[in-house]
Amino acid sequence: MLDEVEDAATEISTIAEKINALHKALENTDTAAHDKLLTQLGELQHSYEIAGGYDVRHEAQAILSGLGFKQTDYQRPLSEFSGGWLMRAELAKLLLIKPDLLLLDEPTNHLDLEAQIWFEKYLSSYRGAVMVTSHDRAFLNRVVNKVLAIEPGEVVFQPGNYDNYVLARQKRMETLEASAKRQEKLIEKETKFINRFRSQATKASVVQSRIKRLDKLQRITIPRTTKKIHFPSLSRRTADGRLSICGISKRPMTATSFTATLI
């Protein structure tokens, strides 16, 4: 497994292969080409050092250890590991590569508490940019410093952690709802005026002007919000603790409506 993780650093692996090829060439070359090959070897060894080749095994071991692998796991083939541990190994490969932009999708799903603590510390000192999608709000609060939220009709960019985003969104919703109420009152007032004077010739131009104004008015739409479901507490506990849900129905763009009974 350790060798496979190391091989993920393809730049280092490629340079290492070239160095090995030059060593073999030096064993079977004449004096005339010897100096040229030595020069190439020196350049490759310098590139290997800059790329971190001399430290890659130690770094791979440190990452694997942080993600919960034991030293006895290093020589085991990946085929012996379960799905969760395979995901950790793939994560180790990404961290070893150190891309300028690290894209992570639910990275904590297969991590235990100790591995997650190590992972969060690693990300806090990561030199590149990290974009992560996660349902773990506590993880997001500890790690991220900017939130990019895809919401109905818009993309919101909010500095701070997840709690900062939730608070800012709540304030935006309150402002939007207040604006929607003011607009609703305006529309109601204008509609009453139009209906009252529509048939009067002396008010025809004014009525038409207000009709056009309403037609051009951009209606304020309140985005659908996430609803929380609260179940009543039970005075007694049942033997099997089953949850029976009946009468489920769902319609597009509406909250799910159902009744639930604990048996």
Side-chain angles (χ1 to χ4, degrees), residues 58-69 88 91-96 108 111-126 139 142-143:
H58 172 74
E59 189 169 355
Q61 290 175 341
I63 293 173
L64 289 171
S65 176
L67 293 176
F69 289 95
R88 294 195 194 197
L91 179 58
K93 293 178 182 179
L94 286 175
L95 300 183
L96 185 64
T108 61
L111 301 182
D112 55 24
L113 180 59
E114 290 185 1
Q116 182 166 331
I117 291 174
W118 176 88
F119 182 56
E120 290 176 6
K121 290 181 179 179
Y122 183 93
L123 290 181
S124 66
S125 59
Y126 192 76
F139 169 73
R142 291 191 293 266
V143 172

Side-chain angles (χ1 to χ4, degrees), residues 76-87:
R76 293 172 57 192
L78 284 175
S79 58
E80 293 184 1
F81 292 93
S82 63
W85 286 100
L86 288 175
M87 293 302 296

